[in-house]
Amino acid sequence: MTAYRKVAKVLKGRRTSDGAGVKLTRLFSNETVTLTDPFLLLDFFGSDRPEDYMAGFPLHPHRGIETVTYMLDGYVDHQDSIGNKGSIGPGDVQWMTAGNGILHEEMPQRSEGWMCGLQLWVNLPRAKKMMTPRYRGVLSGSIPRVELDDGSVVKVIAGEFQGSRGPVEDLVVNAEYLDVNLRSGTSLEHKVPKDMNTFAMVYGGSLLFGGAQEVTSGNVAVFGSGDAVSVVGGEKGARFILVSGTPLHEPIAWGGPIVMNTGEELDKAFLELKNGTFIKTAP
Ligand code: FE2
């Protein structure tokens, strides 16, 4: 018999700003990391007012983590210290493994309509924190779309849904990333291996769980243990990401954009930033 995962906790997004002053909603961060391990942070940025996002995220470092940027609308131009440069457009994904260190900038471009997307940070295990940086740009057209009978759509960015595999393979940390557009009243069941942590971030409409609980747009449902997730689209349907990953259960030393295992490693990273030896990998 299938043991459905119940909602263990609802994390309410809070409005904040980051970078050079980009307004965004932070769904989770360091306070809740044991619940979401191996995922460290999730931000949703979305606005139709360029003044909310044009300041962007000028050159900044990362070490010990991966940043996964998924654009829903609009464009973010980027470049980094390992020689990548380009634009992430609607439906595109950038899966960037900072490893031993990168410097990059992420600059949203002026849009007539909405500019919105999500950035997820995936922690790296101790053995891989200082790996050579790796960069993957995935175009929208290479992301499989699985259409359900009623027109609901599941896009498979990483992992597998009903036999379709996402293009982001060979991950350092075992993870699955689905983007779902669920019609009102439609139920979706998805098996998630027992050892993985799972959450759903709702960014449009609402999701119903177990017939009674509703999680609305701008919030995250963190699931408890079990074999599978079962959700139903709310009155206006639901747009959400369903993300799962195998937890690392390692100590975390978190200093802004750098996440290591110990305070000494963190101090070393900031010292290297100061004395110009942070970057280990040239373009
Ligand atoms: Fe960044």
Side-chain angles (χ1 to χ4, degrees), residues 69-76 87-93 111 114-117 138-143 155 179:
T69 306
Y70 178 37
M71 290 303 291
L72 299 167
D73 224 333
Y75 292 82
V76 168
S87 194
I88 317 169
D92 297 345
V93 175
S111 165
W114 278 81
M115 194 292 301
C116 61
V138 179
L139 294 176
S140 173
S142 67
I143 296 171
K155 291 189 198 175
D179 176 28

Side-chain angles (χ1 to χ4, degrees), residues 57-58 60-62 67 96 102 104-106 119 121 257:
F57 302 87
H60 60 277
H62 288 291
T67 63
M96 197 277 295
I102 63 127
H104 75 168
E105 62 169 40
E106 302 157 292
Q119 187 170 87
W121 291 11

Side-chain angles (χ1 to χ4, degrees), residues 217-231:
S217 183
N219 298 294
V220 165
V222 182
F223 292 94
S225 57
D227 309 315
V229 162
S230 174
V231 295

Side-chain angles (χ1 to χ4, degrees), residues 203-218:
Y203 63 85
S206 65
L207 265 184
L208 303 170
F209 302 87
Q213 195 171 9
E214 183 172 36
V215 173
T216 53
S217 183

